[in-house]
Amino acid sequence: MDVLWMIVLTTGLLGSHCEGAISCKNEIGGDVDWFILYKNKCGVDYVYTDSKDQNLKKNNKPVNNQAGVLAHTLNPYFEKSSDSAFIAYSDQPPNGKTASSTYGHSKGVVMMDKDNVVWLLHSTPRFPAGDKSTNFYPDSGKTNAQIFMCVTLKSTESAQIAQHLKGINAYIFDKHNPEKLRDSSTAPQPPYHEDLKSAGGQQFTRFVKQISGTRDPEEGDLYVTIADTLRSNLYIQTWHSKPEDPNKRPKKYQLVTIMSVKTAAGSWEHGSDHSKWCVSDSKDWMCVGDSNREPSQFERPGGALCINSKPVADEFRQIKSITGSNTDSNTDCDTGPSSSKRKRVGSLS
């Protein structure tokens, strides 16, 4: 598996006869530089923003639509052409197993051709569930809110993604053309952050946190690392995190738990949201992470990708609330005719 860490993409390594470079896609299959998709707590509706329209609004097609945002973006994953390569990673892969806690609580797909790299980070267990546009979204993913962030990068940025996956010790469960993926990098020692530029010039920063064997939040909390680096207070949404444990940092930046969310696709409480994201209280940063604010995760590797965009930060500040019922109500969600109603599992997910 370690041979997959370094993604080497040089001119001529992959075929040059493919029609168009790999890219994040919108719901009609058009290329976008980046997008963020935030699914509601029950079902398949979601709000969406991208490089062409930075308003966070409800999308017309469901998240599992075979001609929708995710399906279009994942087309190289479905096709497995000789001109492309990919890796899919998740500590909760679709085979029903769970990776050990030595791996990051991280989920994503990296797809590449000779020109571009697409990095799709997300929070959905068992995703992609299959390798076709008709079966890629798991029924279990319809329960609880989930988030996806996609960014299109030039192939020259592939080494940074490789370093990131190595730093978070991502568990790779699927791959294509692995001979085109080689480990020849040395990742910096965590914690660290590095800037990225999308293919369209949008500024991003990626974070890799350190591990704390003593579960010290000052070392092992991803959001402490982000707040200290950005020098900003943060509003944070993660699974099962508690506003009082750990939340207060008297001499540094405040980390405030989001207790409810109100979007054009619906409203939900903290206990129904499996996504992991944060937004600065005043600066132009919004981040999608892979770690929860739970002491058990301070001793696991992890990281985040942050976008520097005032419209995006403003939209995510607008949908959050720091007040709510603070209850983990197990709202049943009907996941479709082939599934019975499922209750949200109480353990870390």
Side-chain angles (χ1 to χ4, degrees), residues 42-220:
C42 290
V44 290
D45 291 336
Y46 61 91
V47 287
Y48 170 91
T49 180
D50 65 25
S51 55
K52 295 184 177 180
D53 185 352
Q54 296 185 44
N55 295 306
L56 192 65
K57 56 190 179 185
K58 186 176 178 180
N59 208 272
N60 296 321
K61 297 177 181 177
V63 73
N64 60 349
N65 191 289
Q66 67 182 94
V69 171
L70 293 181
H72 284 310
T73 299
L74 289 171
N75 194 55
Y77 184 83
F78 303 144
E79 286 191 342
K80 298 182 176 64
S81 76
S82 61
D83 295 333
S84 65
F86 68 73
I87 57 174
Y89 61 95
S90 175
D91 65 317
Q92 296 168 288
N95 57 19
K97 297 180 180 180
T98 300
S100 76
S101 61
T102 59
Y103 292 95
H105 190 50
S106 313
K107 301 167 179 65
V109 180
V110 180
M111 300 171 289
M112 62 219 75
D113 62 16
K114 71 180 183 66
D115 297 312
N116 287 348
V117 179
V118 166
W119 190 8
L120 178 66
L121 304 86
H122 65 88
S123 63
T124 309
R126 322 302 177 201
F127 177 94
D131 60 359
K132 297 180 176 61
S133 62
T134 55
N135 66 358
F136 71 95
Y137 200 83
D139 280 344
S140 58
K142 299 174 185 177
T143 305
N144 298 314
Q146 308 286 356
I147 198 162
F148 293 79
M149 175 185 275
C150 184
V151 58
T152 308
L153 302 132
K154 291 297 185 183
S155 61
T156 52
E157 301 288 352
S158 61
Q160 286 223 42
I161 301 178
Q163 289 177 350
H164 188 93
L165 298 184
K166 195 169 187 176
I168 64 174
N169 199 19
Y171 182 82
I172 297 172
F173 68 86
D174 196 8
K175 56 189 179 292
H176 172 61
N177 279 338
E179 70 278 3
K180 305 186 191 310
L181 312 174
R182 292 290 183 266
D183 184 2
S184 61
S185 68
T186 301
Q189 187 67 27
Y192 67 88
H193 66 281
E194 291 189 351
D195 293 336
L196 280 170
K197 279 289 181 70
S198 70
Q202 176 66 51
Q203 182 183 358
F204 289 82
T205 298
R206 64 183 184 89
F207 289 84
V208 173
K209 78 177 188 72
Q210 68 186 112
I211 297 170
S212 172
T214 60
R215 299 189 175 185
D216 180 355
E218 293 297 311
E219 294 180 346

Side-chain angles (χ1 to χ4, degrees), residues 123-323:
S123 63
T124 309
R126 322 302 177 201
F127 177 94
D131 60 359
K132 297 180 176 61
S133 62
T134 55
N135 66 358
F136 71 95
Y137 200 83
D139 280 344
S140 58
K142 299 174 185 177
T143 305
N144 298 314
Q146 308 286 356
I147 198 162
F148 293 79
M149 175 185 275
C150 184
V151 58
T152 308
L153 302 132
K154 291 297 185 183
S155 61
T156 52
E157 301 288 352
S158 61
Q160 286 223 42
I161 301 178
Q163 289 177 350
H164 188 93
L165 298 184
K166 195 169 187 176
I168 64 174
N169 199 19
Y171 182 82
I172 297 172
F173 68 86
D174 196 8
K175 56 189 179 292
H176 172 61
N177 279 338
E179 70 278 3
K180 305 186 191 310
L181 312 174
R182 292 290 183 266
D183 184 2
S184 61
S185 68
T186 301
Q189 187 67 27
Y192 67 88
H193 66 281
E194 291 189 351
D195 293 336
L196 280 170
K197 279 289 181 70
S198 70
Q202 176 66 51
Q203 182 183 358
F204 289 82
T205 298
R206 64 183 184 89
F207 289 84
V208 173
K209 78 177 188 72
Q210 68 186 112
I211 297 170
S212 172
T214 60
R215 299 189 175 185
D216 180 355
E218 293 297 311
E219 294 180 346
D221 188 342
L222 170 64
Y223 303 94
V224 169
T225 298
I226 295 173
D228 288 352
T229 303
L230 299 181
R231 298 182 179 181
S232 174
N233 302 327
L234 297 179
Y235 298 111
I236 303 166
Q237 163 57 50
T238 76
W239 179 255
H240 277 201
S241 55
K242 300 177 181 178
E244 69 280 359
D245 181 28
N247 194 42
K248 297 179 180 178
R249 305 182 67 215
K251 295 182 181 180
K252 294 187 179 179
Y253 302 101
Q254 285 190 313
L255 306 179
V256 181
T257 298
I258 295 169
M259 298 310 301
S260 62
V261 171
K262 184 176 183 180
T263 76
S267 303
W268 55 87
E269 296 294 310
H270 174 75
S272 300
D273 199 326
H274 186 255
S275 66
K276 298 116 177 57
W277 60 272
C278 66
V279 63
S280 167
D281 69 338
S282 59
K283 296 185 178 181
D284 300 338
W285 289 100
M286 181 271 175
C287 310
V288 172
D290 56 21
S291 301
N292 300 307
R293 294 202 70 222
E294 291 285 341
S296 64
Q297 298 216 342
F298 299 165
E299 58 187 6
R300 296 183 70 171
L305 182 64
C306 304
I307 183 171
N308 184 237
S309 166
K310 186 178 188 305
V312 171
D314 285 345
E315 291 287 336
F316 275 84
R317 280 191 287 262
Q318 185 175 339
I319 65 172
K320 61 96 184 114
S321 174
I322 60 173
T323 60

